[in-house]
Amino acid sequence: MGLFDKLAAWLGLKKEVNVLCLGLDNSGKTTIINRLKPSNAQVQDIVPTIGFSIEKFKTSSLSFTVFDMSGQGRYRNLWEHYYKEGQAIIFVIDSADKLRMVVAKEELDTLLNHPDIKHRRIPILFFANKMDMRDALTSVKVSQLLCLENIKDKPWHICATNALTGDGLQEGVDWLQGPLRIHFNLLLSYISSALANLLLFVSLIPNIFMYSTVSPFSSLHRGPFHCRVKRKQQQLLRYCS
Amino acid sequence: MVRKRPLPLLTRKYSDVSSVDVDVATGRQFSLWLRGSSFSSVARLRAAFGFICRLYAFKMIKKFDKKDEESGSGSNPFQHLEKSAVLQEARIFNETPINPRRCLHILTKIIYLLNQGEHFGTTEATEAFFAMTRLFQSNDQTLRRMCYLTIKEMANISEDVIIVTSSLTKDMTGKEDVYRGPAIRALCRITDTTMLQAIERYMKQAIVDKVPSVSSSALVSSLHMVKMSYDVVKRWVNEAQEAASSDNIMVQYHALGLLYHLRKNDRLAVTKMLNKFTKSGLKSPFAYCMLIRIASKLLDETEGGHDSPLFDFIESCLRNKNEMVVYEAASAIVHMPNCTARELAPAVSVLQLFCSSPKAALRYAAVRTLNKVAMKHPSAVTACNLDLENLITDSNRSIATLAITTLLKTGSESSVDRLMKQISSFVSEISDEFKVVVVQAISALCQKYPRKHSVMMNFLSNMLRDDGGFEYKRAIVDCIISIIEENPESKETGLAHLCEFIEDCEHTVLATKILHLLGKEGPRTPQPSKYIRFIFNRVVLESEAVRAAAVSALAKFGAQNDDLLPSVLVLLQRCMMDSDDEVRDRATFYMNVLQQKQKALNAAYIFNGLSVSIPGLEKSLHQYTLEPSEKPFDMKTVPLATAPITEQKTEIAPVATSKLPEKLAPSRQDIYQEQLAAIPEFQGLGPLFKSSEPVQLTEAETEYVVRCIKHTFAGHMVFQFDCTNTLNDQLLQKVLVQMEPSEAYEVVQYVPAPSLPYSQPGSCYTLIRLPDDDPTAVSCTFSCTMKYLVRDCDPNTGEPDDDGYDDEYVLEDLEVTVADHIQKVLKPNFGAAWDEVGDEFEKEETFALASVRTLDEAVGNIISFLGMQPCERSDKVPENKNSHVLFLAGVFRGGHDVLVRARLALADGVTMQVTVRSGDENVVDVILASVG
């Protein structure tokens, strides 16, 4: 897939993905997002979020825009306004808060049954947070309590994390890149195939389009490129299904 | 499914772009530049894309402009926006990546629509708002600031606006100074009392921030929030205090403003603050102006003498370096009540200096303020007369006009001629608005120097001939009318000018008004016949409304002047052939009345028109048609019109106005009539005869505020008690006012107010029967006690306790006087009415009013005691006269006309000879008895 990444990088399309960060209040959403940001952008004191805030961070291949939603009861009904454009969901659970695990489950079920979410193959990443607490449940236990095994139509993953130290966060984000990239590359392959066709076409008209005279990329628009894209596309389709 | 709408403005623009080709030359340059650069650099390539985009955008804008010019829609590209189309476009906010330029354009459209007063439904507004919140992803500065504006605009129409709280807090504490101030303002707009505590910490930090814009925004926003949650903002006093010592002039001003508003209810604290700042001195001139305003307000409230330190402070500001502060101080001194000439002098001399300033704004401010001073203290301004005369030739006409009108107020009688000449030289150059000011100044001058009326009259008639709008003409006509009324000598010239004016007058209202005046005044002039021509010309030439008014005026001439009667009858006969019904009706009516040749009929139907309230008449007639009966309709059942008390100069009898306003606003009394008729206990009392002005039965600022309105009916009285409960921890129930009469009055019934919650006024009523057997018992004193059931309640929730207790509250005594039994009625022609009533029940008596020193006082006392309407402008006592005749007219309860003629003579005290005429003997007795 290196070629696509390169192509994407070249086009300045480090793929931007919108991620919703949800979960009950005091589960550590803002702390997790803060920890994922580059160290010079991190803030020291975290206060309860009111409404939502938008944060950005990057990984090697993707650029994340996170809608960090407030988890307080009165704001939870506002989550749904942002479901539509979320391409992935991070759901944070306070593993030490056994009492409210049912509340978390209830919110999760409402989320999964929302018309904007229900029929989409949207990846969900669960962070079983606060592992440093003494009476924290294990991630397995959390996934049992939340009945995660019932989610059949969406890729999901659960990580045990400690947002204070950052343990487990990278693992989760790495997982998230997988389904997102598939999603994205499929899209990209369509674009690049169209682009390649276009390039082929315009290269027939000399001196009008500048790319035809540029040497480092001249290999790009030889015939086989088009076929390779087609093949790749089929592979991807197979992988996805 | 959403129907696809025709592509709105912006999309169309973009479709244009796709067809735009990059100019060949530019394209070549561009590819050359590309070849020369190191191509592998992605940044360069991006820059290149950016260049192309800008190129497109430029072309696009150019093209857009061109199209605009072609369609001739002017310079406003937002003229034909449609709300639904814009909201649909707002969906692009949801797209990623965000296109700042397009989003910016759409936000502009939304704000434009909001400011045009377009109504946004809650759902659609909320949807657009949430779409907008996504734009916080973008780091485009302009876009972000536009978002702040949108948030502020939509704060009240969208739901859940608090969703952006965290985003705004992030911006206000962030590193970008450009974002911080606007973010604070937006945040404070969407924050409510419950959320305020969450942002309190940030606000405190922002107030003392070293960036002036941030600090100012925080201070001003706090000021707005004082209204909402005073207690929270009060905790920020220390921070505001710190900001008040800032070096920035705006921050200091805003901090002072906040400090004042936090303390304004505590006079002591305000005084302390003023002391502190006046001693330490301030840097900001704005803050100084504010201090001066606070100080003058405080002086006003405490009624402090002019030797107080506050006054000294204001006076010291007259020597400030800054002109704004100096002006503010001068204006504050000038506007102080009971200011002596000595204190005024420095302020006036400062204003005098400003009069010769090169800055037009300063000159304007100075002359405007001097104009105000001249009303109260003309002598103080005389010192500036020379400067003001220089300003007459000022190139700015507003300044010149104000200067002249000021001079007219201060000038002596001798200078009037000269000034009038000067005004007439430029009056054609100034706008109507200022012409009205000039006319008003002349009107005031006429009252001051009645002897100058001939000059004024000439001048006014010249102005009347010039072009001008309705307001201007009306001001002139009013002015001439008032001169005629004040000054009998000017009557004939004035009427002649007005006659000339109506020969060519396009304003129906003015023409009818003048015709009415002619009808009233013309017959009493030595040569009434000369007006007939002018009036009859109207019948021939003008519109229906004017014709009808002319017919009424003609009839008055015929009624008053016997030698003119035959000719008037001939003219009226011609009017009976008019094409308009109203004109024909009036002509026929007057013709028949005049042919009877009876003085009484003339008086009743020509001079003094109907005195009933028009809505009341309408209602009674409607009622009459609903219940057909054998009895003829009785005019006496119709409530009387409350005479126009304030507008004596412009009263217009219903006969003369053929152009009534579209809908007569129901008078106060008609409203009461309606309210009382809705209460079943008061059915069958007949029509409401009179409602008195409200009488306060409690002191101001007591636990309960009660005022009483006395409603008089033919045989009963109803007292309406409007009660307000000012205790927020009490709920009153079953409130009634118990009354103990001192005379033979009988309390028939109480109608209690069921419940009286905090600060919601309620009414309870008491019904009294007036004694039948003794018609002379018109005055009575009632002692009143309010009785009620108290239920304590929680001040916050208003939730009352289950049980309550009875309590009572003593009110002040209520008096019923003769005035409550008499309704004012205006008789435009008192002499005719006097003859009409006849001397059958005339009585006369003489009294000495020992305690009264002047005629004016005596006249005022009599009018307020009897509650009757003064006629023929007899309430105004001419100066330097020792005797006066007062004519009063009214209707006594039961529908008997009462006329009173009081001859007053000033000796040691005032001697008064009262003659009363009425259709009923009892009434005459009652009035004489009550006067004695």
Side-chain angles (χ1 to χ4, degrees):
Chain A
M1 280 194 235
L3 182 65
F4 294 117
D5 285 346
K6 224 184 259 174
L7 188 68
W10 174 74
L11 284 170
L13 289 174
K14 187 159 203 172
K15 174 59 181 172
E16 287 201 20
V17 282
N18 285 337
V19 180
L20 299 181
C21 187
L22 309 174
L24 299 190
D25 46 313
N26 198 29
S27 57
K29 293 175 295 302
T30 311
T31 319
I32 287 177
I33 303 302
N34 189 42
R35 183 53 77 171
L36 286 171
K37 285 196 289 185
S39 54
N40 58 352
Q42 288 183 7
V43 287
Q44 290 311 313
D45 51 339
I46 307 285
V47 291
T49 310
I50 301 165
F52 78 109
S53 75
I54 294 179
E55 307 287 350
K56 291 184 179 185
F57 65 89
K58 283 179 186 163
T59 61
S60 56
S61 60
L62 294 177
S63 153
F64 286 92
T65 304
V66 185
F67 287 76
D68 177 13
M69 306 298 297
S70 169
Q72 291 172 35
R74 51 187 288 214
Y75 303 120
R76 280 181 216 150
N77 57 340
L78 302 178
W79 291 354
E80 61 181 22
H81 287 281
Y82 298 89
Y83 286 169
K84 243 191 204 121
E85 72 270 10
Q87 286 150 305
I89 292 174
I90 296 175
F91 199 92
V92 184
I93 305 127
D94 179 355
S95 324
D97 190 358
K98 293 186 197 95
L99 213 58
R100 291 206 300 164
M101 207 56 88
V102 277
V103 185
K105 178 172 182 340
E106 206 167 285
E107 290 297 340
L108 180 65
D109 290 345
T110 324
L111 163 73
L112 291 174
N113 287 322
H114 191 274
D116 285 348
I117 298 290
K118 198 169 184 180
H119 302 295
R120 287 167 62 199
R121 260 188 81 78
I122 182 168
I124 308 179
L125 172 60
F126 293 92
F127 280 136
N129 197 20
K130 303 202 182 176
M131 276 305 158
D132 52 325
M133 305 283 266
R134 262 191 30 213
D135 50 351
L137 300 169
T138 62
S139 59
V140 180
K141 188 80 182 138
V142 169
S143 84
Q144 273 172 3
L145 282 174
L146 295 183
C147 306
L148 295 186
E149 65 277 7
N150 292 348
I151 308 174
K152 298 238 161 53
D153 54 344
K154 297 176 178 55
W156 60 269
H157 183 74
I158 186 161
C159 295
T161 57
N162 175 7
L164 295 177
T165 56
D167 291 344
L169 292 181
Q170 202 49 50
E171 180 206 333
V173 175
D174 285 346
W175 174 84
L176 198 58
Q177 287 188 43
L180 276 176
R181 258 212 317 228
I182 292 166
H183 203 71
F184 166 52
N185 282 337
L186 194 64
L187 191 89
L188 194 65
S189 58
Y190 277 115
I191 297 171
S192 51
S193 127
L195 196 71
N197 279 329
L198 192 76
L199 285 171
L200 264 176
F201 173 71
V202 294
S203 63
L204 295 175
I205 312 162
N207 288 333
I208 288 190
F209 200 78
M210 53 260 181
Y211 295 136
S212 58
T213 60
V214 177
S215 59
F217 288 88
S218 54
S219 65
L220 269 181
H221 47 82
R222 285 187 190 135
F225 176 73
H226 180 58
C227 305
R228 257 168 62 196
V229 169
K230 270 277 165 71
R231 220 171 40 241
K232 203 88 206 177
Q233 209 174 310
Q234 281 161 0
Q235 268 178 14
L236 279 168
L237 282 172
R238 237 176 286 136
Y239 176 81
C240 291
S241 59
Chain B
M1 282 302 290
V2 182
R3 201 169 56 82
K4 185 89 179 161
R5 288 173 191 279
L7 279 175
L9 209 92
L10 197 82
T11 335
R12 200 180 64 225
K13 220 163 67 186
Y14 274 82
S15 63
D16 284 341
V17 172
S18 62
S19 68
V20 175
D21 294 331
V22 181
D23 193 75
V24 179
T26 332
R28 226 173 255 158
Q29 262 180 3
F30 179 64
S31 58
L32 277 175
W33 178 80
L34 270 183
R35 251 179 249 166
S37 64
S38 63
F39 193 61
S40 54
S41 154
V42 174
R44 273 296 171 94
L45 199 63
R46 270 204 208 157
F49 272 123
F51 176 72
I52 293 194
C53 287
R54 275 200 292 279
L55 209 68
Y56 276 153
F58 179 69
K59 281 226 153 189
M60 173 182 100
I61 288 165
K62 255 183 115 175
K63 216 172 178 168
F64 187 55
D65 284 352
K66 213 184 278 167
K67 200 174 266 171
D68 243 19
E69 274 160 33
E70 278 160 16
S71 60
S73 61
S75 57
N76 185 359
F78 298 115
Q79 212 153 42
H80 304 293
L81 282 185
E82 210 184 306
K83 182 182 75 176
S84 49
V86 174
L87 286 177
Q88 199 157 8
E89 278 182 274
R91 295 194 178 156
I92 71 150
F93 297 164
N94 293 331
E95 286 172 10
T96 38
I98 283 164
N99 179 341
R101 184 179 292 275
R102 286 180 68 187
C103 294
L104 205 54
H105 197 75
I106 292 163
L107 281 183
T108 317
K109 286 183 189 176
I110 292 179
I111 295 178
Y112 177 83
L113 284 177
L114 283 170
N115 280 309
Q116 291 291 306
E118 186 86 43
H119 176 75
F120 280 66
T122 315
T123 340
E124 55 188 10
T126 312
E127 196 181 322
F129 185 83
F130 273 89
M132 189 273 302
T133 59
R134 288 166 180 104
L135 300 183
F136 272 92
Q137 290 175 61
S138 165
N139 276 328
D140 188 281
Q141 277 198 359
T142 334
L143 183 61
R144 181 70 61 88
R145 301 188 68 177
M146 205 61 168
C147 285
Y148 298 144
L149 288 182
T150 321
I151 291 171
K152 284 199 278 189
E153 290 293 331
M154 294 183 106
N156 289 333
I157 50 175
S158 164
E159 283 177 340
D160 293 320
V161 283
I162 40 155
I163 186 88
V164 287
T165 306
S166 263
S167 307
L168 290 173
T169 347
K170 205 174 122 196
D171 283 349
M172 85 182 250
T173 51
K175 292 191 188 73
E176 286 270 16
D177 284 342
V178 196
Y179 289 162
R180 295 176 62 196
I184 291 172
R185 289 195 292 265
L187 183 61
C188 291
R189 191 81 170 70
I190 59 164
T191 303
D192 56 15
T193 325
T194 50
M195 299 296 304
L196 191 55
Q197 312 220 338
I199 61 161
E200 188 176 357
R201 187 163 63 102
Y202 301 116
M203 286 303 289
K204 279 185 174 178
Q205 279 167 12
I207 288 175
V208 292
D209 199 279
K210 47 182 191 303
V211 181
S213 70
V214 174
S215 179
S216 266
S217 312
L219 285 165
V220 175
S221 304
S222 322
L223 189 53
H224 285 301
M225 287 197 299
V226 168
K227 286 174 224 138
M228 193 174 73
S229 41
Y230 177 79
D231 294 324
V232 180
V233 182
K234 207 177 159 193
R235 294 201 289 259
W236 309 346
V237 162
N238 286 336
E239 281 77 12
Q241 204 101 28
E242 197 179 324
S245 53
S246 157
D247 279 342
N248 186 288
I249 52 171
M250 267 306 173
V251 174
Q252 195 170 48
Y253 169 54
H254 291 148
L256 181 68
L258 179 61
L259 285 174
Y260 171 63
H261 278 275
L262 285 175
R263 290 165 179 174
K264 69 177 170 192
N265 294 326
D266 181 359
R267 197 175 288 163
L268 198 68
V270 175
T271 321
K272 261 189 199 161
M273 184 180 83
L274 274 179
N275 278 342
K276 190 185 143 203
F277 284 118
T278 49
K279 276 202 194 90
S280 63
L282 291 162
K283 207 167 176 187
S284 157
F286 301 112
Y288 257 114
C289 289
M290 178 97 192
L291 269 189
I292 292 171
R293 285 190 187 178
I294 299 172
S296 66
K297 188 152 181 272
L298 202 64
L299 267 179
D300 202 29
E301 277 168 9
T302 53
E303 288 157 16
H306 294 162
D307 46 354
S308 87
L310 288 177
F311 187 81
D312 292 342
F313 161 69
I314 297 179
E315 204 178 18
S316 73
C317 286
L318 287 174
R319 294 181 289 280
N320 197 294
K321 282 197 293 293
N322 194 299
E323 282 160 340
M324 183 165 60
V325 179
V326 175
Y327 172 72
E328 189 66 45
S331 149
I333 292 178
V334 160
H335 284 108
M336 264 175 216
N338 56 53
C339 202
T340 62
R342 199 174 57 84
E343 288 149 357
L344 269 179
V348 171
S349 67
V350 162
L351 291 174
Q352 190 177 5
L353 274 181
F354 282 170
C355 279
S356 47
S357 155
K359 292 181 193 160
L362 268 186
R363 290 201 303 272
Y364 181 76
V367 81
R368 190 160 170 269
T369 318
L370 283 175
N371 195 356
K372 276 190 194 142
V373 187
M375 288 182 198
K376 273 190 283 178
H377 308 277
S379 56
V381 188
T382 30
C384 311
N385 274 1
L386 207 64
D387 300 84
L388 287 173
E389 293 210 10
N390 288 335
L391 287 181
I392 293 177
T393 50
D394 198 288
S395 57
N396 185 322
R397 283 296 170 217
S398 312
I399 295 177
T401 315
L402 280 172
I404 285 213
T405 47
T406 315
L407 280 173
L408 284 178
K409 282 169 197 151
T410 61
S412 60
E413 196 164 352
S414 56
S415 65
V416 169
D417 288 313
R418 192 170 48 87
L419 285 172
M420 296 306 271
K421 219 171 268 168
Q422 241 158 348
I423 298 178
S424 48
S425 68
F426 75 90
V427 79
S428 55
E429 293 166 39
I430 56 177
S431 69
D432 267 13
E433 222 171 302
F434 274 109
K435 281 182 188 167
V436 174
V437 175
V438 172
V439 173
Q440 278 162 355
I442 293 174
S443 169
L445 204 60
C446 293
Q447 279 173 355
K448 203 161 133 200
Y449 303 120
R451 264 177 298 171
K452 283 286 167 193
H453 69 84
S454 62
V455 185
M456 311 286 180
M457 206 55 113
N458 271 334
F459 180 72
L460 286 173
S461 68
N462 282 336
M463 283 172 100
L464 208 48
R465 274 183 216 124
D466 291 340
D467 290 335
F470 171 67
E471 285 299 323
Y472 171 50
K473 296 278 179 190
R474 194 176 64 175
I476 302 175
V477 169
D478 283 347
C479 181
I480 294 185
I481 292 178
S482 75
I483 295 178
I484 293 173
E485 286 179 345
E486 297 285 334
N487 214 327
E489 299 137 52
S490 65
K491 191 187 276 180
E492 268 188 74
T493 33
L495 287 180
H497 287 312
L498 290 177
C499 282
E500 194 190 325
F501 173 62
I502 53 169
E503 283 288 352
D504 183 20
C505 170
E506 54 190 326
H507 308 294
T508 313
V509 180
L510 291 182
T512 48
K513 189 170 183 174
I514 293 172
L515 282 171
H516 174 63
L517 181 80
L518 280 178
K520 214 174 88 183
E521 302 287 345
R524 295 188 227 175
T525 52
Q527 265 191 309
S529 57
K530 69 179 174 189
Y531 301 108
I532 300 281
R533 183 173 64 86
F534 291 106
I535 297 174
F536 194 69
N537 277 350
R538 303 281 73 68
V539 179
V540 182
L541 298 169
E542 302 276 351
S543 65
E544 299 83 17
V546 183
R547 290 206 299 270
V551 167
S552 304
L554 270 183
K556 284 184 191 160
F557 278 85
Q560 198 125 338
N561 303 82
D562 288 335
D563 45 338
L564 285 178
L565 186 60
S567 342
V568 168
L569 283 177
V570 172
L571 293 178
L572 283 179
Q573 203 138 30
R574 278 195 210 163
C575 298
M576 282 161 72
M577 256 94 80
D578 197 278
S579 59
D580 185 71
D581 322 351
E582 171 74 21
V583 180
R584 279 199 309 271
D585 288 353
R586 285 195 189 190
T588 318
F589 174 71
Y590 289 131
M591 182 85 181
N592 284 311
V593 173
L594 286 174
Q595 274 167 345
Q596 307 296 321
K597 295 189 179 158
Q598 288 179 22
K599 280 268 184 250
L601 277 180
N602 285 352
Y605 294 109
I606 297 182
F607 298 126
N608 303 325
L610 286 177
S611 54
V612 293
S613 104
I614 301 293
L617 178 62
E618 188 185 339
K619 224 171 286 165
S620 313
L621 284 173
H622 182 66
Q623 200 61 37
Y624 185 72
T625 51
L626 285 184
E627 297 162 6
S629 68
E630 291 298 304
K631 276 196 300 182
F633 181 73
D634 185 8
M635 259 330 234
K636 293 210 164 138
T637 61
V638 182
L640 292 167
T642 32
I645 302 157
T646 47
E647 284 208 313
Q648 235 205 340
K649 279 183 187 166
T650 52
E651 39 88 4
I652 301 168
V655 189
T657 41
S658 44
K659 196 183 168 196
L660 282 168
E662 287 300 302
K663 175 104 178 80
L664 261 176
S667 65
R668 194 173 138 265
Q669 185 162 350
D670 294 322
I671 298 169
Y672 285 133
Q673 164 101 24
E674 200 109 302
Q675 283 174 357
L676 292 176
I679 299 169
E681 282 86 346
F682 303 145
Q683 299 287 349
L685 295 184
L688 176 60
F689 178 73
K690 182 180 182 177
S691 295
S692 73
E693 291 296 316
V695 185
Q696 293 292 347
L697 294 184
T698 51
E699 307 263 317
E701 293 170 30
T702 44
E703 296 94 314
Y704 313 111
V705 178
V706 181
R707 53 175 210 166
C708 175
I709 299 162
K710 296 173 266 187
H711 301 289
T712 313
F713 290 85
H716 296 80
M717 280 186 94
V718 171
F719 298 97
Q720 174 184 346
F721 297 95
D722 291 339
C723 316
T724 314
N725 173 11
T726 60
L727 300 177
N728 61 2
D729 56 351
Q730 281 191 356
L731 172 72
L732 305 188
Q733 286 184 323
K734 295 179 199 152
V735 185
L736 60 86
V737 176
Q738 189 168 23
M739 303 179 80
E740 301 282 342
S742 65
E743 306 280 328
Y745 284 44
E746 180 194 349
V747 177
V748 181
Q749 197 160 25
Y750 294 111
V751 180
S755 134
L756 206 61
Y758 166 58
S759 84
Q760 285 174 23
S763 297
C764 59
Y765 301 90
T766 307
L767 177 63
I768 299 273
R769 197 202 328 270
L770 299 169
D772 301 326
D773 44 344
D774 181 15
T776 53
V778 288
S779 55
C780 177
T781 308
F782 293 90
S783 52
C784 307
T785 318
M786 184 158 83
K787 298 201 164 179
Y788 46 85
L789 178 75
V790 184
R791 287 172 74 185
D792 290 328
C793 63
D794 186 332
N796 296 321
T797 58
E799 203 58 42
D801 290 350
D802 291 333
D803 47 345
Y805 51 91
D806 286 316
D807 201 353
E808 57 179 52
Y809 188 81
V810 179
L811 304 174
E812 281 173 31
D813 288 353
L814 181 69
E815 288 202 30
V816 173
T817 60
V818 66
D820 292 319
H821 301 270
I822 300 176
Q823 177 67 287
K824 291 178 176 185
V825 169
L826 184 73
K827 299 280 183 195
N829 191 327
F830 187 82
W834 185 255
D835 293 339
E836 181 198 342
V837 172
D839 54 3
E840 194 183 348
F841 299 113
E842 183 182 283
K843 283 197 180 168
E844 195 168 77
E845 244 177 278
T846 310
F847 304 93
L849 310 173
S851 60
V852 186
R853 292 274 148 241
T854 63
L855 286 177
D856 262 334
E857 201 184 337
V859 167
N861 282 352
I862 297 168
I863 293 172
S864 65
F865 179 75
L866 288 178
M868 293 167 79
Q869 177 70 33
C871 298
E872 308 269 328
R873 304 175 53 74
S874 60
D875 52 331
K876 288 195 181 147
V877 184
E879 278 174 50
N880 305 328
K881 282 204 174 168
N882 288 332
S883 62
H884 182 65
V885 187
L886 174 67
F887 301 112
L888 294 173
V891 173
F892 195 79
R893 177 169 56 83
H896 303 289
D897 272 340
V898 190
L899 299 174
V900 172
R901 187 182 65 197
R903 293 177 203 271
L904 303 166
L906 186 68
D908 261 347
V910 174
T911 319
M912 174 172 76
Q913 184 193 44
V914 181
T915 317
V916 186
R917 282 185 180 188
S918 171
D920 185 65
E921 190 171 10
N922 279 331
V923 178
V924 178
D925 291 339
V926 165
I927 293 196
L928 279 180
S930 63
V931 174

